[in-house]
Amino acid sequence: MPDNKKRSDCPISSSLEVWGDKWSLLIVRDLMFAKQCTYGDFLKSAEKIATNILASRLQTLEENGIITKSDHPDSKAKVLYQLTQKGIDLLPLMVEINLWAEKYYDLPADRKASLNEVKKDKEGFIKKTARELKKSSY
Amino acid sequence: MPDNKKRSDCPISSSLEVWGDKWSLLIVRDLMFAKQCTYGDFLKSAEKIATNILASRLQTLEENGIITKSDHPDSKAKVLYQLTQKGIDLLPLMVEINLWAEKYYDLPADRKASLNEVKKDKEGFIKKTARELKKSSY
DNA sequence: TATTTTTGCTTGCACTTTGCAAGTACAAAT
DNA sequence: ATTTGTACTTGCAAAGTGCAAGCAAAAATA
């Protein structure tokens, strides 16, 4: 299903056309923070995504250059999903989502604690995490 | 339609449950940057949202405390939609979306120019814009 | 070597949401 | 008094979602 129709040339609109749904950024989150990178990993996440939806979202994320599929080093049966640079560049956005949600929603104590670390040095956290994500891709 | 089922206590997931769709953040954008604040204004935006979808999104944004409805000063026939503090606090997120999209999608020259201003002093832009949004609410 | 399990999907189907067009009710303008 | 503007609601076909089941190749186990 090619989603060719650009609604407008607004950057917000273009972005939402790629990842503006309830699931895509959860996959990015898993790749970014939880280091989960196989199909089965994503299925196991707390939000219980349906397998057909997962397959569909992985495909559109790949088509839009946010993730890549490659052979998993451990097994031919596994597929390794990884963030591209375009995907890694979503990190500042993901940090802001976390900070916004922290202000308005209850979240687990450990999450709050690590977000306080992020707040102390947002730039530093982003640089460090981006560097780590880059290292793990090759 | 009460959407009571929380998928998880992850802040990303909680956020996406509120505004994780293709339209909600466009309404926020209109309120934030284009100073559009009536039902008709939203309908007129470039992306051509369907009227029933607009009504539905305005309702959930209001239910989730991101916008408020009030009497329009100009006319009893009009309704004034405004961002709450919770809505204004989405500003850093909206800025990051703009910056991400600027890197990967073509956008109009005037948009690029104003984003370059934002990049020069991100903090300053956010503070200034948030202050203006607060002034216009009462 | 044969069988079972793991892994990454696809398919079928009921249910929900979306998007387009049309309609409605009240306020304001003519 | 009639038309226009504004904020919606309603009907309906088409598309998308979510659950369960199925499937094929690879890996692990017997």
Side-chain angles (χ1 to χ4, degrees):
Chain A
M1 255 147 253
D3 196 30
N4 289 331
K5 27 194 156 186
K6 208 172 289 174
R7 298 183 294 184
S8 76
D9 49 12
C10 167
I12 305 279
S13 178
S14 302
S15 301
L16 293 175
E17 280 173 38
V18 177
W19 48 255
D21 65 84
K22 297 221 181 305
W23 296 107
S24 295
L25 291 186
L26 294 182
I27 296 173
V28 172
R29 171 204 64 183
D30 286 348
L31 288 164
M32 209 168 251
F33 303 121
K35 318 294 187 224
Q36 296 180 336
C37 53
T38 67
Y39 194 90
D41 286 340
F42 301 131
L43 279 182
K44 274 172 228 145
S45 286
E47 293 84 8
K48 298 291 157 215
I49 187 170
T51 174
N52 55 340
I53 307 293
L54 175 58
S56 154
R57 291 302 177 276
L58 287 171
Q59 194 188 329
T60 66
L61 285 173
E62 196 196 2
E63 285 169 357
N64 286 285
I66 293 184
I67 63 173
T68 48
K69 273 173 83 161
S70 54
D71 295 340
H72 196 287
D74 291 356
S75 155
K76 267 191 188 176
K78 289 186 182 180
V79 172
L80 184 67
Y81 289 97
Q82 287 175 295
L83 290 170
T84 61
Q85 184 58 49
K86 189 175 174 183
I88 295 173
D89 283 336
L90 286 169
L91 181 53
L93 172 52
M94 299 292 279
V95 166
E96 294 300 337
I97 298 176
N98 272 284
L99 293 174
W100 180 79
E102 192 217 4
K103 191 164 177 182
Y104 291 104
Y105 300 98
D106 285 331
L107 39 133
D110 57 320
R111 281 304 193 89
K112 286 215 158 196
S114 58
L115 276 173
N116 281 331
E117 292 304 306
V118 172
K119 269 193 279 190
K120 276 181 201 159
D121 181 17
K122 200 196 285 184
E123 286 290 312
F125 173 82
I126 289 173
K127 275 186 186 164
K128 192 193 72 179
T129 308
R131 211 180 308 126
E132 285 167 15
L133 289 167
K134 263 171 249 187
K135 263 197 306 189
S136 72
S137 60
Y138 53 97
Chain B
M1 256 147 256
D3 196 30
N4 290 331
K5 26 193 155 188
K6 209 172 290 177
R7 297 183 295 184
S8 77
D9 49 13
C10 166
I12 306 278
S13 178
S14 303
S15 301
L16 293 176
E17 280 173 37
V18 177
W19 47 256
D21 65 84
K22 298 222 181 303
W23 297 106
S24 296
L25 290 186
L26 293 182
I27 297 172
V28 172
R29 171 204 63 182
D30 285 348
L31 289 164
M32 208 167 252
F33 303 120
K35 317 297 186 221
Q36 296 181 336
C37 53
T38 67
Y39 194 91
D41 287 339
F42 301 131
L43 279 183
K44 274 174 228 144
S45 286
E47 294 83 10
K48 298 289 157 215
I49 187 170
T51 175
N52 55 341
I53 307 294
L54 175 58
S56 153
R57 291 305 176 275
L58 287 170
Q59 193 187 329
T60 64
L61 285 173
E62 196 194 3
E63 284 169 359
N64 286 285
I66 293 184
I67 62 172
T68 47
K69 272 172 83 161
S70 53
D71 295 340
H72 197 287
D74 292 356
S75 157
K76 266 192 187 174
K78 289 186 181 177
V79 172
L80 184 69
Y81 289 97
Q82 287 174 295
L83 290 169
T84 61
Q85 184 58 49
K86 188 174 174 183
I88 295 172
D89 284 336
L90 287 170
L91 182 52
L93 171 52
M94 298 292 279
V95 167
E96 293 301 339
I97 297 176
N98 272 285
L99 293 174
W100 180 79
E102 192 216 5
K103 190 164 178 181
Y104 292 104
Y105 299 98
D106 284 331
L107 41 131
D110 57 319
R111 282 304 193 88
K112 285 215 158 195
S114 58
L115 276 173
N116 281 330
E117 292 304 306
V118 172
K119 269 194 278 188
K120 276 180 201 161
D121 181 18
K122 201 196 284 186
E123 286 289 312
F125 172 81
I126 289 173
K127 275 186 185 164
K128 192 193 71 178
T129 309
R131 211 180 308 126
E132 285 167 16
L133 288 167
K134 263 171 247 185
K135 263 199 304 189
S136 71
S137 61
Y138 52 97

